[in-house]
């Protein structure tokens, strides 16, 4: 389903755990990682499509998550002609997306990549919030930056405070300095308060260690033709 301008409506999902790490899924039988996402069917509202994709790709139900925020407007990216199928050239232009920020209320074991007969992912991992900006294909980078930046202001901050206390940081350290230090470590000077640096989570079925380096040949969301 394309709009009048040739853009396919799509939803993207940024799923947070209690450490403010984000969920990545590995496309089945590939070395490509991405956020859960997919096309909006005719007659669907974006939120309905988000919950459908969340279950189809990750196996979660509405009671497993809390919607924290969504992008206000459609975010669009155009796909270079060389990546568009020949039969779609001339009328398919790219994708327009609404991005949702979700908090996982359940546990790692609630994730089920085999919830349907047509799985999208065969492994998953938790990773730093800002990492996709460094690894996503160039023509999608603007949309990722806009989505992650807009939604970053809604990321829960309590974990960051607890992290500094657990690490024995001096309580008199100002929040401004803490935010500046964390932004320098993350390489993202996009928000005034720091997102916590993830620690390695407990291993679970089909879970790849958080922040483990991607293997040679692996990539993040490189497939511009994906529309499911």
């Amino acid at each position: 389903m394309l709009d009048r301008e040739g853009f396919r409506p799509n939803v993207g999902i940024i799923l947070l755990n209690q450490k403010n790490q984000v969920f990545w899924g590995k496309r089945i039988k590939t070395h490509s990682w991405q956020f859960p996402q997919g096309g909006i069917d005719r007659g669907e509202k974006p939120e309905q499509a988000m919950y459908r994709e969340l279950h189809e790709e990750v196996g979660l139900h509405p009671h497993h998550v809390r919607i924290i925020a969504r992008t206000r407007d459609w975010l669009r990216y155009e796909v270079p002609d060389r990546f568009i199928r020949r039969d779609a050239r001339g009328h398919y232009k790219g994708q327009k997306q609404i991005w949702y920020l979700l908090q996982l209320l359940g546990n790692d074991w609630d994730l089920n990549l085999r919830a349907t007969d047509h799985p999208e992912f065969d492994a998953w991992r938790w990773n730093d919030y800002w990492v996709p900006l460094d690894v996503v294909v160039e023509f999608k980078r603007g949309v990722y930056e806009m989505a992650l930046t807009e939604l970053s202001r809604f990321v829960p901050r309590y974990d960051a405070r607890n992290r500094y206390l657990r690490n024995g940081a001096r309580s008199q350290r100002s929040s401004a300095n803490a935010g500046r230090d964390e932004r320098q470590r993350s390489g993202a000077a996009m928000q005034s308060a720091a997102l916590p640096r993830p620690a390695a989570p407990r291993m679970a079925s089909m879970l790849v260690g958080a922040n483990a380096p991607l293997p040679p040949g692996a990539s993040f969301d490189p497939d511009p033709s994906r529309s499911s």
Side-chain angles (χ1 to χ4, degrees):
M1 180 179 72
L2 301 178
D3 66 12
R4 294 180 180 179
E5 297 176 323
F7 289 91
R8 178 177 291 114
N10 181 283
V11 291
I13 301 171
I14 301 172
L15 177 65
L16 297 175
N17 65 9
Q18 296 301 318
K19 298 177 182 178
N20 287 341
Q21 298 166 319
V22 296
F23 175 96
W24 289 10
K26 188 174 80 67
R27 292 286 301 279
I28 193 165
K29 297 180 180 180
T30 73
H31 293 294
S32 172
W33 297 80
Q34 65 182 54
F35 291 127
Q37 57 188 281
I40 300 175
D41 293 339
R42 188 176 301 276
E44 270 190 324
K45 296 180 179 180
E47 185 172 318
Q48 293 173 322
M50 180 274 291
Y51 279 127
R52 176 179 53 77
E53 291 291 339
L54 185 69
H55 179 257
E56 290 177 359
E57 298 193 354
V58 186
L60 297 179
H61 295 279
H63 68 270
H64 288 128
V65 299
R66 175 174 66 91
I67 297 178
I68 300 175
R70 52 156 280 183
T71 52
R72 293 185 300 272
D73 301 313
W74 293 102
L75 303 179
R76 292 171 171 81
Y77 66 81
E78 296 185 14
V79 177
D81 285 343
R82 67 182 182 276
F83 293 120
I84 301 176
R85 298 193 312 269
R86 290 185 179 180
D87 60 347
R89 292 175 183 173
H91 55 89
Y92 173 71
K93 194 170 185 179
Q95 297 212 37
K96 64 178 186 180
Q97 299 178 310
I98 295 291
W99 283 87
Y100 286 86
L101 180 68
L102 306 182
Q103 178 77 62
L104 178 64
L105 301 178
N107 300 285
D108 284 3
W109 53 79
D110 293 317
L111 297 162
N112 178 13
L113 305 186
R114 296 294 183 268
T116 71
D117 294 332
H118 306 284
E120 294 281 348
F121 303 135
D122 59 14
W124 57 276
R125 64 191 284 168
W126 297 112
N127 220 320
D128 282 331
Y129 185 87
W130 296 107
V131 166
L133 295 186
D134 298 325
V135 292
V136 70
V137 66
E138 179 66 29
F139 65 85
K140 295 185 182 182
R141 189 164 297 150
V143 163
Y144 273 74
E145 183 170 357
M146 287 187 288
L148 289 167
T149 301
E150 180 179 347
L151 297 175
S152 67
R153 73 190 69 173
F154 302 103
V155 172
R157 306 297 172 87
Y158 57 86
D159 278 348
R161 291 196 301 269
N162 290 341
R163 173 181 173 269
Y164 287 114
L165 292 176
R166 286 196 302 269
N167 288 349
R170 289 180 296 178
S171 60
Q172 66 266 34
R173 188 175 189 179
S174 69
S175 59
N177 287 338
R180 185 186 65 234
D181 292 344
E182 190 65 16
R183 288 194 299 272
Q184 290 173 346
R185 285 192 292 270
S186 67
M190 299 178 184
Q191 61 182 114
S192 60
L195 291 173
R197 181 175 295 278
R202 177 168 56 87
M203 299 300 291
S205 175
M206 309 188 78
L207 172 62
V208 178
N211 296 323
L214 293 178
S219 56
F220 184 85
D221 200 9
D223 184 358
S225 63
R226 183 176 184 273
S227 60
S228 62

